[in-house]
């Protein structure tokens, strides 16, 4: 009988794409994949190092696996496994810890599935993570995450990702296009482009530092791939989002009017302390450019609160900056100290209760922003891609510009694109609609 393997992914879309690639390796070697809640012989946890909360979640997930099968072999891979391998290996129940270069060769380390008193570590110096491994994730049948880039050469003072993932490097454009065509051939309607710093695409494409292709080259080439209905850019640095890309997306065949652009702070003082590669004026310029050519685009923003040196006055600078900015929603992160980062040694530490209060204020602002954006879309015709889950008798989906809609469950709509008129916002803050009778793209 085949051995069973289960996976749990913490963190970003990039991690999800890599988990899928690792899972396909197991399946190609005869393992049966089961849900993480089920009994398995091997549990693989793909870790994240971005927040303190992700670290804590890891311990909870290990206990979940032990509860499902106390004799199971538990392996940790991913960013936290690269940064703190010994700490993970020392946790009760963890048998194997693999670093940045080893995670894609995990099945090579599984000749002996005996439980260990102390986890075995196979990790590399991060300088060795200089080669590229392509990945894509197919979660449900509606959307896939396609990895196009890995690593980062930026030196933001709060970030451990360069330590966990290494230098910036890219997939060859031909591979990106082949993977996109393969995903489209499986009937998946939407591809989300992911990476650590995708605007840096092209660097390290063939093992060298110069750009053979640019991010814009990739965007133009992907727009010509047959069978893809929607392409979505995930997170892109404001200094790397050029006018040519914005203008192209505005008239593109497949790219949707949705951008997620990290800001991190609306205060130039804090941006400089963070060593970000732009100031607030450039960010304002990027938003204005998008609004000029795509008035109905959805624009999401990452922001960090409680960074060292963020006084009440500097936080209010960020709050007012975002309040006046024409964006659609915020992803709010509460700053947490990370080992081996410059920010962890800075003065001006913000008390935890102040960080929490500021986070709550910005989350409240995000609710207002999203509501205002949804209200601006009422009465307009949009195309919705419906998801596959029956949630309490409802089906959900997203318009091209990322308005979330819901309707009574209809299995015939799963993984279809339907033309609708957006009608009203319900008590859950989601949008109800009227179906426009047109041929369905199934």
């Amino acid at each position: 009988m085949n051995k069973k393997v289960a996976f749990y992914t913490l963190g970003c879309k990039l991690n999800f794409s890599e988990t899928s690639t690792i899972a396909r390796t197991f399946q190609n070697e005869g393992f049966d994949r089961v849900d993480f809640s089920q009994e398995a012989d091997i549990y693989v946890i793909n870790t994240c190092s971005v927040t303190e909360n992700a670290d804590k979640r890891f311990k909870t997930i290990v206990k979940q696996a032990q509860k499902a099968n106390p004799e199971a072999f538990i392996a940790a891979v991913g960013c936290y496994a690269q940064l703190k391998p010994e700490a993970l290996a020392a946790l009760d129940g963890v048998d194997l810890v693999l670093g940045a270069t080893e995670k894609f060769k995990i099945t090579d380390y599984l000749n002996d599935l005996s439980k260990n008193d102390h986890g075995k570590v196979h990790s590399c110096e991060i300088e060795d993570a200089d080669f590229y491994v392509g990945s894509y994730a197919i979660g449900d049948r509606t959307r896939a995450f396609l990895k196009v880039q890995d690593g980062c050469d930026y030196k933001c003072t709060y970030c451990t990702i360069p330590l966990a993932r290494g230098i910036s490097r890219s997939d060859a454009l031909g591979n990106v296009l082949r993977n996109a065509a393969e995903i489209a051939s499986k009937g998946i309607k939407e591809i989300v482009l992911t990476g650590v710093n995708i605007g840096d695409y092209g660097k390290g494409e063939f093992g060298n530092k110069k750009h053979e292709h640019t991010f814009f080259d990739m965007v133009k080439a992907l727009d010509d791939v047959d069978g893809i209905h929607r392409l979505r850019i995930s997170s892109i640095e404001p200094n790397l989002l050029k006018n040519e890309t914005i203008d192209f997306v505005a008239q593109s065949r497949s790219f949707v009017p949705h951008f997620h652009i990290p800001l991190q702070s609306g205060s130039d003082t804090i941006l400089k302390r963070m060593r970000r590669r732009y100031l607030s004026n450039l960010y304002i310029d990027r938003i204005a450019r998008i609004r000029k050519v795509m008035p109905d685009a959805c624009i999401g923003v990452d922001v960090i609160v409680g960074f060292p040196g963020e006084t009440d006055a500097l936080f209010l600078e960020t709050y007012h900056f975002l309040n006046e900015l024409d964006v659609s929603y915020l992803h709010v992160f509460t700053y947490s100290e990370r080992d081996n980062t410059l920010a962890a040694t800075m003065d001006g530490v913000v008390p935890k209760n102040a960080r929490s209060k500021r986070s709550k204020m910005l989350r409240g602002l995000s609710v207002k922003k999203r509501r205002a954006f949804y209200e601006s879309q009422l009465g307009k015709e949009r195309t919705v891609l419906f998801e596959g889950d029956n949630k309490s008798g409802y089906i959900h989906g997203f318009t091209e510009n990322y308005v979330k809609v819901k309707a009574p469950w209809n299995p015939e709509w799963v993984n279809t694109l339907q033309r609708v008129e957006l009608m009203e916002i319900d008590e859950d803050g989601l949008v109800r609609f009227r179906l426009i009778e047109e041929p369905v793209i199934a």
Side-chain angles (χ1 to χ4, degrees):
M1 197 167 87
N2 291 346
K3 290 200 178 296
K4 295 175 181 174
V5 61
F7 298 87
Y8 197 103
T9 305
L10 289 160
C12 61
K13 295 180 178 74
L14 180 56
N15 269 7
F16 278 93
S17 74
E18 291 183 342
T19 298
S20 278
T21 295
I22 294 166
R24 284 193 288 277
T25 303
F26 274 93
Q27 287 166 308
N28 291 340
E29 297 200 15
F31 288 81
D32 290 334
R33 183 175 182 176
V34 298
D35 189 79
F36 200 84
S37 61
Q38 296 177 272
E39 185 177 336
D41 301 290
I42 302 168
Y43 292 91
V44 180
I45 305 168
N46 195 350
T47 63
C48 172
S49 67
V50 171
T51 65
E52 195 177 12
N53 191 39
D55 300 352
K56 291 174 182 169
R57 288 273 311 284
F58 176 77
K59 295 174 186 174
T60 306
I61 294 151
V62 169
K63 285 177 182 165
Q64 250 179 271
Q66 288 175 304
K67 190 175 176 185
N69 181 4
E71 299 304 311
F73 190 90
I74 298 175
V77 302
C79 292
Y80 198 45
Q82 174 65 32
L83 290 174
K84 297 284 183 74
E86 294 298 342
L88 293 191
L91 285 173
D92 179 48
V94 176
D95 300 292
L96 178 67
V97 180
L98 297 181
T101 61
E102 287 80 12
K103 61 189 172 187
F104 295 107
K105 303 178 286 189
I106 183 170
T107 53
D108 295 349
Y109 295 97
L110 298 178
N111 297 326
D112 179 7
L113 294 181
S114 307
K115 294 293 288 177
N116 298 312
D117 292 335
H118 188 281
K120 291 181 179 171
V121 173
H122 297 276
S123 67
C124 64
E125 294 300 319
I126 198 59
E127 291 77 17
D128 297 335
D130 59 358
F131 56 91
Y132 187 85
V133 178
S135 306
Y136 64 81
I138 298 171
D140 49 35
R141 288 184 301 143
T142 60
R143 180 178 295 110
F145 302 133
L146 173 59
K147 173 184 168 184
V148 299
Q149 183 273 342
D150 201 351
C152 188
D153 293 340
Y154 286 11
K155 298 290 187 284
C156 301
T157 55
Y158 54 84
C159 187
T160 57
I161 288 175
L163 300 173
R165 284 188 167 272
I167 59 172
S168 179
R169 55 211 189 271
S170 309
D171 203 355
L173 184 58
N175 288 342
V176 171
L177 299 179
R178 272 191 295 277
N179 284 339
E182 192 175 320
I183 292 166
S185 73
K186 297 178 188 295
I188 290 159
K189 301 289 190 294
E190 181 176 310
I191 294 175
V192 183
L193 304 181
T194 69
V196 174
N197 186 0
I198 64 172
D200 203 27
Y201 175 81
K203 186 182 281 185
E205 184 181 348
F206 296 106
N208 56 39
K209 273 293 184 184
K210 73 187 182 85
H211 281 71
E212 296 290 335
H213 297 99
T214 64
F215 180 73
F216 184 48
D217 291 336
M218 179 181 64
V219 164
K220 287 188 295 184
L222 280 167
D223 202 49
D224 287 334
V225 176
D226 286 336
I228 303 175
H229 296 282
R230 284 183 176 181
L231 284 156
R232 201 178 292 275
I233 298 167
S234 58
S235 183
I236 183 165
E237 294 284 303
N239 52 302
L240 296 175
L241 179 58
K242 308 295 187 189
N243 286 347
E244 59 188 8
T245 301
I246 294 170
D247 294 348
F248 183 84
V249 168
Q251 50 81 45
S252 156
R253 182 175 69 96
S254 305
F255 279 88
V256 295
H258 176 205
F259 296 88
H260 193 94
I261 312 170
L263 169 66
Q264 311 309 14
S265 177
S267 159
D268 287 347
T269 303
I270 297 297
L271 288 173
K272 288 173 186 174
R273 281 175 73 88
M274 290 176 165
R275 289 194 185 161
R276 299 294 285 160
R277 295 199 177 193
Y278 55 86
L279 295 175
S280 56
N281 272 346
L282 181 132
Y283 200 92
I284 291 169
D285 179 72
R286 298 298 76 207
I287 303 305
R289 183 71 180 207
I290 292 168
R291 286 282 169 241
K292 181 181 176 185
V293 294
M294 288 171 275
D296 291 317
C298 181
I299 305 173
V301 183
D302 285 341
V303 60
I304 296 170
V305 297
F307 189 82
E310 186 187 63
T311 61
D312 285 343
L314 291 178
F315 167 71
L316 287 174
E317 214 177 296
T318 291
Y319 186 92
H320 293 310
F321 180 85
L322 286 165
N323 191 38
E324 290 165 22
L325 205 59
D326 190 2
V327 295
S328 314
Y329 64 89
L330 314 176
H331 278 176
V332 183
F333 297 89
T334 304
Y335 172 75
S336 59
E337 288 78 0
R338 318 306 291 153
D339 290 345
N340 302 314
T341 60
L342 193 58
T345 66
M346 287 180 176
D347 55 10
V349 173
V350 178
K352 292 278 177 74
N353 61 341
R355 297 184 209 183
S356 178
K357 182 181 173 187
R358 292 172 191 177
S359 176
K360 193 173 179 183
M361 283 177 69
L362 283 184
R363 288 177 204 279
L365 179 60
S366 180
V367 170
K368 277 172 39 183
K369 289 276 184 190
R370 193 184 296 269
R371 176 87 187 194
F373 174 62
Y374 280 11
E375 284 176 350
S376 76
Q377 298 303 297
L378 297 181
K380 296 183 177 178
E381 290 188 13
R382 295 281 175 254
T383 302
V384 174
L385 174 58
F386 283 99
E387 313 263 320
D389 294 334
N390 181 342
K391 293 182 179 173
S392 307
Y394 288 94
I395 190 169
H396 296 85
F398 286 92
T399 65
E400 57 272 53
N401 61 342
Y402 216 56
V403 173
K404 191 173 184 180
V405 306
K406 85 174 197 188
W409 173 251
N410 182 344
E412 292 178 8
W413 285 357
V414 172
N415 196 34
T416 66
L417 290 157
Q418 303 275 1
R419 195 75 184 155
V420 305
E421 182 187 357
L422 303 177
M423 300 298 288
E424 62 179 357
I425 302 172
D426 72 6
E427 64 282 357
D428 296 325
L430 304 181
V431 178
R432 297 186 186 276
F433 58 86
R434 177 181 69 81
L435 200 62
I436 297 169
E437 296 300 334
E438 285 183 2
V440 177
I441 303 173

